[in-house]
Amino acid sequence: MTARTDRETKILDVAADMLVRHGYRRVTIDDVAGAAGIGKGTVYLHWKTREELFRAVFARAVRGAIADMVTALRADPAVALLHRFAAEFFLAILRRPLLYGMVIGDVQMWGKLVGSEAGYDGGRHNMVMASYVDVLAARGFVRTDLATPELTYAFQSVFEGFIYAERTVGSTGTRDERARLLSATVESAFSRPGTPDAALADEVAALLSGLV
């Protein structure tokens, strides 16, 4: 890494930690610079505003989650199946408190960035998920008695229900156990048996890149 890249990474690390601990409204550029041990002018060399800095923090969290998913798909093409995908994506989000906070619309954590162009793009996410379900349907890996929009809606409702339940319902078992419960629920409700290949995994990975 270059010195500039190292400095940028440190700033993002500090900003991410402070957002988790204090929330959007209480974190300033001065705070981030002080915690990083640099002048605030140095922060402004990388990002012109506080919002730009926080957008970069969020974008990095998204890239990390997508990287986790792509790694899982490369290691095992079966992750492309709807129920396996659901479990992996669930864990990829929960491993990142800032990403989870944006997905559920945590205003205390993300302030005005919730629902803005800088934040979680639900419309684009829905389009990618619909395309993903289309790909599975074309290969016979999901039930065929529902049209793609209906199946996508039903799947996302189940998935997002599990995501929101982490905050509102309380947890049962470990996080991995809840991921397995989500997988079993999706499999019994929507999936058809089959063995995916590396080509399908590559196609799903390419779709996911559209979320970055």
Side-chain angles (χ1 to χ4, degrees):
M1 287 188 179
T2 65
R4 180 181 177 86
T5 301
D6 287 342
R7 186 173 63 227
E8 182 175 294
T9 299
K10 182 176 182 179
I11 294 168
L12 290 172
D13 287 342
V14 169
D17 178 67
M18 297 188 80
L19 277 171
V20 171
R21 290 190 291 115
H22 304 301
Y24 175 89
R25 292 185 180 90
R26 294 179 56 194
V27 180
T28 67
I29 291 292
D30 284 330
D31 295 328
V32 173
I38 58 177
K40 69 177 181 179
T42 303
V43 178
Y44 285 121
L45 289 175
H46 296 269
W47 301 280
K48 296 183 184 303
T49 66
R50 186 176 69 137
E51 286 69 29
E52 283 190 10
L53 170 60
F54 293 159
R55 283 200 297 269
V57 170
F58 175 64
R60 188 176 67 160
V62 173
R63 288 195 299 271
I66 298 304
D68 282 359
M69 294 298 298
V70 170
T71 297
L73 285 161
R74 298 282 187 264
D76 182 1
V79 172
L81 296 174
L82 194 63
H83 63 287
R84 291 285 305 278
F85 178 93
E88 291 288 345
F89 201 26
F90 176 80
L91 291 172
I93 291 172
L94 294 189
R95 280 193 289 267
R96 295 168 173 82
L98 288 170
L99 180 54
Y100 175 73
M102 185 67 84
V103 169
I104 66 171
D106 187 338
V107 176
Q108 180 175 346
M109 179 180 288
W110 280 109
K112 68 179 184 181
L113 296 187
V114 169
S116 73
E117 291 181 0
Y120 175 64
D121 189 341
R124 182 168 56 175
H125 178 269
N126 292 343
M127 290 175 61
V128 170
M129 289 299 103
S131 297
Y132 165 55
V133 172
D134 264 335
V135 168
L136 294 181
R139 298 197 180 207
F141 290 128
V142 291
R143 56 190 290 181
T144 57
D145 58 323
L146 293 175
T148 297
E150 296 172 321
L151 183 54
T152 304
Y153 174 82
F155 165 66
Q156 287 189 259
S157 295
V158 171
F159 182 84
E160 291 174 14
F162 270 74
I163 289 287
Y164 278 89
E166 289 291 303
R167 182 179 188 183
T168 60
V169 177
S171 56
T172 177
T174 66
R175 182 177 291 178
D176 285 342
E177 288 169 341
R178 295 193 295 279
R180 287 193 290 270
L181 178 59
L182 169 59
S183 181
T185 302
V186 170
E187 184 175 22
S188 64
F190 307 119
S191 296
R192 294 180 63 187
T195 304
D197 56 17
L200 175 63
D202 288 342
E203 191 169 357
V204 174
L207 283 172
L208 287 173
S209 297
L211 290 175
V212 177

